[in-house]
Amino acid sequence: MSFQHYSLIQAPMAGGISGARFVAEASRAGALGSVGAGYLSGAAILESARGVRDAGGDAFAINLFIPPSQTPDAEQVVKAKAALRSCYAAAGVAMPEQFAPLPSFDEQFEAVLEARPAVFSYTFGRLPRDRMDACRARGIALVGTATSVAEAQALAEDGVDAVVLQGEEAGGHRGSVDPLAPGMALDALLAACRQAVSLPLIAAGGLMDGADMARVMRAGAAAAQLGTAFLRCHEADTAEAEAGPGATGVTRAVSGRWARGLANAWMDERAPQDIAPYPEQHRLTSPLRKGAGADWKSLWAGTGAHRSREMPVAELVRTLEEEWKEQ
Ligand SMILES: Cc1cc2nc3c(=O)[nH]c(=O)nc-3n(C[C@H](O)[C@H](O)[C@H](O)COP(=O)(O)O)c2cc1C
């Protein structure tokens, strides 16, 4: 799989946004569609891949979150749970005693191997050698995510096929290996990595139209990965779409990792101060986000949210390609 074929990648967006129809439409229109499978079980990943293929999507990516290697500090989790009580109460959602576990990464990864997408993309870490080999043996190309030059170099040493450079403008979680690492603006990150890494670089963060795509291509990117631009597409059944464009901010209170979204209770004085490490905080806040209104949902979106356009996925892909070629 060559990245020369793709100028545009529809970013993986976990949490039900990049569903099978959405991804198939992106792929059919000529982008590389991506299934955000970070919260899906193995069975759901296989069903999703089947769904994309049944809907006519040919080449596509499946994306997972690399789990942390350390177990969380139990005391920190107890404190985080206590701090969330007032948030549940303010939102009028009953706080459960038990919190559902996240799907196992081993099971998710086996499903990716079985589904055999053109690309396996991942974020929050590096993929162990044996797992990289397993993908290679099945002809699955590998794409890691970097938010700094050091991370991009580490992924290049691992032998990935391409690196997503995610600038701090990006919607959703910051894909850094260190969950607390600071972000870097996309243009600076791209300029620095262009000198340091000789792999195809995929630019992500705040890119909303063909002119933005042209800017990063001129600066050396092989392709552009857009997430927020797709949030108001008709096929995206999302709370972000309902909330409409708005100002964004960052928070660690939803999941324990930094993430950018439309400003709401998670980013003001109502947010808890004691936060468990990722992914424990994600588990603790999950019932609240599901049960509450927009104030307590995770409305992930990038700094370009106010420029997102409402149209079908395929039309947006065609529009972006046309705008880009006109530049
Ligand atoms: C709603 C939403 C969910 C996201 N989920 C994921 C994900 O599951 N995996 C991932 O690697 N990146 C995820 N991202 C980040 C995107 O891959 C990409 O870096 C980002 O969308 C680019 O910035 P933009 O949103 O300004 O286009 C998500 C982004 C958004 C907006």
Side-chain angles (χ1 to χ4, degrees):
M1 140 105 223
S2 163
F3 286 90
Q4 277 148 7
H5 293 122
Y6 292 101
S7 43
L8 174 60
I9 299 173
Q10 166 256 306
M13 289 184 276
I17 300 166
S18 45
R21 198 170 138 242
F22 186 100
V23 175
E25 285 297 301
S27 286
R28 273 156 42 98
L32 179 70
S34 314
V35 177
Y39 304 125
L40 299 183
S41 66
I45 291 173
L46 289 171
E47 193 187 320
S48 211
R50 258 194 308 274
V52 177
R53 289 185 171 119
D54 287 350
D58 179 13
F60 59 95
I62 300 182
N63 173 274
L64 290 180
F65 302 140
I66 304 288
S69 45
Q70 289 140 329
T71 44
D73 174 346
E75 202 181 315
Q76 235 180 321
V77 176
V78 171
K79 277 193 194 163
K81 210 167 158 181
L84 278 166
R85 286 201 185 283
S86 61
C87 306
Y88 274 87
V93 177
M95 185 167 175
E97 278 311 309
Q98 302 293 328
F99 295 85
L102 286 170
S104 115
F105 182 78
D106 290 351
E107 182 192 305
Q108 291 178 317
F109 185 75
E110 284 308 313
V112 170
L113 292 181
E114 193 180 329
R116 273 199 191 208
V119 175
F120 172 50
S121 71
Y122 51 94
T123 187
F124 303 168
R126 295 164 73 178
L127 192 65
R129 162 84 30 219
D130 57 331
R131 296 207 144 141
M132 294 189 77
D133 291 344
C135 288
R136 295 232 174 284
R138 288 162 181 78
I140 303 170
L142 291 160
V143 176
T145 307
T147 60
S148 68
V149 177
E151 286 177 356
Q153 284 173 320
L155 291 168
E157 270 167 38
D158 288 347
V160 297
D161 296 282
V163 177
V164 171
L165 295 182
Q166 189 199 39
E168 65 187 356
E169 302 89 340
H173 282 98
R174 190 174 293 167
S176 47
V177 178
D178 169 2
L180 304 182
M184 202 170 159
L186 175 61
D187 288 353
L189 180 61
L190 182 55
C193 288
R194 200 184 167 189
Q195 306 297 324
V197 179
S198 56
L199 283 174
L201 300 173
I202 301 165
L207 308 177
M208 301 302 293
D209 60 20
D212 292 342
M213 288 174 63
R215 187 189 85 232
V216 292
M217 306 289 202
R218 278 196 298 270
Q225 175 163 296
L226 279 63
T228 300
F230 285 91
L231 281 177
R232 294 173 71 224
C233 284
H234 298 166
E235 296 86 343
D237 188 13
T238 61
E240 285 90 339
E242 284 158 35
T248 67
V250 291
T251 178
R252 222 165 58 73
V254 168
S255 71
R257 275 186 162 273
W258 287 111
R260 181 177 293 283
L262 299 179
N264 65 4
W266 293 110
M267 291 161 207
D268 63 28
E269 65 289 343
R270 292 169 288 176
Q273 294 303 310
D274 284 313
I275 299 170
Y278 172 86
E280 289 310 305
Q281 184 75 7
H282 173 91
R283 293 178 56 218
L284 296 178
T285 64
S286 180
L288 170 53
R289 288 179 282 117
K290 282 191 186 125
D295 242 9
W296 289 99
K297 292 221 180 292
S298 43
L299 301 173
W300 300 145
T303 54
H306 60 287
R307 294 168 57 210
S308 68
R309 297 174 275 190
E310 211 183 313
M311 59 177 89
V313 168
E315 194 181 324
L316 180 59
V317 170
R318 284 193 291 271
T319 304
L320 289 165
E321 298 274 5
E322 276 162 24
E323 288 172 346
W324 170 54
K325 281 175 190 146
E326 274 166 20
Q327 293 292 310

